[in-house]
Every structure is written in structure tokens, then in C-alpha cells.
Amino acid sequence: MRNVIRAIFLAVLVSGPSAYAADSTKELAWSSVNLEGARLQLVSPKDKDRSLELYFGKNGNLVTTSCIKDTCTGPLLVWKIENNRLKTGFAPTEGDALIKVTGNRLTLREASGKIVVYDIKGRH
């Protein structure tokens, strides 16, 4: 089951071309963004029938809601910032670099080099 959930999550993240350009050589400190309590929604890359939301709870809990058409899954994972990388339960030995913060939008570079963009949709 864990591999199926990870496959769905990765499929959502890797689908489609990167629509937003960013200087992927630059990295910002994760300390400049308070993730605890934040709810992020994937903006790019994203297919029209898919959505992904991440909720960064207290004590390192990460709630995800990944939907493909009308089917959604919402596993509970873990998250942490380590060596200036956002690490989640999907790939605990890898991590995403923060490369741009603009208003309520975060641009990240995954360990593979792929650029992903999230909107900050709120805080709890």
C-alpha cells in the first residue's frame, strides 16, 4: 500500500512540463519559510484531473490529499528540514531545496532537479 501511495504522489509531482522558470542553482534557507501549520497546493506541474495538497502539522506530521479525478487518498506521513532540505516520508534520504519565495508561492527543486511550484493556501 505504501508503494502505491508513493507512486500516486510521485506521478502527480512528475506529470507535465514545468510551467514556471526559476534559477535552480540558487537556494534559500528553509528557515525563511514557516511550514508548520501551512497548507500547500501543487500548482505546477499539474494535470487538469489531478490535485495535491500538503498540510504540515506540528511534531513533523504531514497530511497529504492526492486526487485523480474523483478518487482521493490522504496518507499521514512525516516531514522535517534537515541540511537545508525538506524531507518527507516519501523520500527520507532525499530532499527538496527552496529556490524561490514570491508572495504565497514556493518554488522547490526536487532531488532529481525537477522544479515544482506550490501555492500557500492557508495556515491552521
Side-chain angles (χ1 to χ4, degrees):
M1 180 68 174
R2 181 177 177 194
N3 288 338
V4 171
I5 293 169
R6 180 175 180 179
I8 291 169
F9 179 78
L10 292 176
V12 170
L13 288 181
V14 299
S15 61
S18 294
Y20 296 91
D23 182 354
S24 63
T25 60
K26 245 172 81 173
E27 291 185 11
L28 303 175
W30 275 104
S31 60
S32 65
V33 177
N34 180 16
L35 283 177
E36 188 170 291
R39 185 173 57 90
L40 305 182
Q41 183 176 36
L42 182 67
V43 175
S44 171
K46 183 183 159 203
D47 287 343
K48 70 175 185 158
D49 292 336
R50 295 182 179 195
S51 66
L52 175 67
E53 286 195 10
L54 307 173
Y55 172 69
F56 294 84
K58 293 183 179 183
N59 302 318
N61 293 317
L62 174 62
V63 178
T64 66
T65 303
S66 176
C67 300
I68 299 173
K69 294 191 179 187
D70 294 330
T71 304
C72 296
T73 183
L76 178 63
L77 304 168
V78 294
W79 71 277
K80 66 181 174 179
I81 303 296
E82 183 178 80
N83 298 324
N84 202 33
R85 294 290 183 267
L86 171 62
K87 297 186 177 188
T88 67
F90 290 120
T93 60
E94 299 174 359
D96 297 342
L98 177 63
I99 58 173
K100 188 174 182 183
V101 179
T102 307
N104 283 336
R105 188 163 278 187
L106 301 178
T107 304
L108 314 179
R109 184 183 64 240
E110 296 178 338
S112 67
K114 184 175 189 81
I115 304 297
V116 293
V117 180
Y118 289 91
D119 274 346
I120 300 172
K121 300 305 280 185
R123 294 201 173 272
H124 296 211

